Structure formats: C-alpha cells, structure tokens
C-alpha cells in the first residue's frame, strides 16, 4: 500500500499503528469498499475525509480539486483498486488465489461499516496532508488449504 501511495501521490507516506478492531467502523466523507472472494473472502475498505480525497486527486491529476466530485471519487477508488489488486497478487504468490470486485463508494460520514463478527485490521496510512484508514477483514474459505495463521487474529 505504501509503495502505491508513494508512486501515485508523490508525497511522504508512512504506516500508523496497526490495530485489530471488533465492531462497526464509522465511515468518513468517502469510503471505498472492495470485496474479496476466493481462498479468502471479505473486504478491504479505505476511509478518508473530503480534504484528503481532494488532495490525493490533485496530486494524481495535477490539477486542484476542492469538492468530492466524480473525478475525485474515481481517482481515490482507483488507488484503492490498485492497492487491493497488488495485495491479491502477493496472496497468489503464497498459493491463495483471490479475486477483487469493482470498488463500491460510500459517501457521507453517517455510514457505518459492519463486518459482523469478523474482526478487521485497521491500518492508518499517514500522508503529508492527512490519514487514510485502511480496513482489512478477511477469512479463509478453505479453497486453498490452511493458512499457517489466521488472516486476522
């Protein structure tokens, strides 16, 4: 994720404190949801406020954005898609064949994301202009044998 962000956004990027979360997550101004199926199933979600989304799109496209318009949404969704796709490629190298669905966007802070009883990792991605919350909730389906450890503890 950090490599993709550095390449696409040309900014300082670092990973914050990773935590395991149980219960609902609160959405931000824009949340990109990507479903994962195959040897593992679940979601990857990227939640960020409008200011961060606009700054990302501005960095990617070389023009200034100040509102969550369709172009900003598309740019942020594409970054989430690239990060998720690369993660799935790494899982395939480990023998875990997975697929991702096209991104779904949730708009508005009043949204909640529930993975029911499935815990998720919260990985803050800290950029020079704000933070993206990356949520990862995966479980093994048995399609590729057993993992050495659970996808999320």
């Amino acid at each position: 994720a950090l490599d993709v962000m550095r390449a696409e956004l040309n900014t300082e990027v670092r990973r914050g404190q990773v935590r395991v979360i149980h219960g609902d997550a609160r959405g931000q101004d824009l949340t990109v949801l990507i479903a994962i199926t195959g040897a593992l199933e679940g979601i990857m979600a990227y939640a960020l406020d409008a200011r961060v989304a606009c700054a990302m799109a501005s960095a990617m496209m070389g023009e200034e954005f100040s509102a969550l318009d369709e172009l900003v949404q598309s740019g942020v969704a594409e970054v989430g898609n690239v990060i998720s796709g690369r993660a799935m490629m790494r899982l395939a190298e480990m023998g875990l064949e997975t697929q991702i669905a096209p991104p779904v966007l949730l708009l508005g802070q009043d949204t909640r994301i529930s993975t029911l009883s499935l815990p998720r990792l919260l990985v803050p991605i800290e950029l020079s202009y704000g933070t993206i919350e990356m949520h990862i909730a995966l479980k093994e389906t048995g399609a590729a044998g057993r993992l050495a450890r659970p996808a999320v503890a």
Side-chain angles (χ1 to χ4, degrees):
L2 302 182
D3 291 340
V4 170
M5 294 283 188
R6 283 186 193 106
E8 294 290 328
L9 306 177
N10 195 27
T11 189
E12 289 291 319
V13 181
R14 71 181 196 88
R15 186 183 72 215
Q17 178 77 32
V18 177
R19 303 185 318 260
V20 176
I21 304 292
H22 300 271
D24 293 351
R26 186 170 177 179
Q28 294 190 34
D29 294 325
L30 176 62
T31 303
V32 178
L33 289 175
I34 298 179
I36 298 162
T37 60
L40 300 174
E41 65 181 22
I43 64 160
M44 292 182 76
Y46 307 87
L48 56 160
D49 68 31
R51 184 184 52 78
V52 174
C54 290
M56 284 177 62
S58 295
M60 290 169 54
M61 297 176 217
E63 60 183 272
E64 204 59 35
F65 292 95
S66 60
L68 273 178
D69 64 20
E70 194 170 301
L71 202 51
V72 171
Q73 293 173 34
S74 177
V76 173
E78 184 56 27
V79 170
N81 206 32
V82 170
I83 292 169
S84 299
R86 287 202 183 164
M88 297 311 108
M89 287 172 42
R90 288 190 178 156
L91 288 171
E93 292 168 0
M94 298 168 37
L96 296 167
E97 293 295 328
T98 56
Q99 298 80 41
I100 61 174
V104 172
L105 302 179
L106 301 176
L107 301 171
Q109 294 181 353
D110 293 331
T111 59
R112 289 188 339 186
I113 303 164
S114 175
T115 54
L116 303 173
S117 62
L118 185 62
R120 67 188 181 287
L121 289 177
L122 172 58
V123 183
I125 300 173
E126 298 171 357
L127 309 171
S128 60
Y129 40 77
T131 300
I132 299 170
E133 292 182 347
M134 182 169 67
H135 298 263
I136 304 168
L138 298 172
K139 68 178 180 178
E140 185 178 4
T141 63
R146 290 281 166 236
L147 292 173
R149 56 193 163 148
V152 175

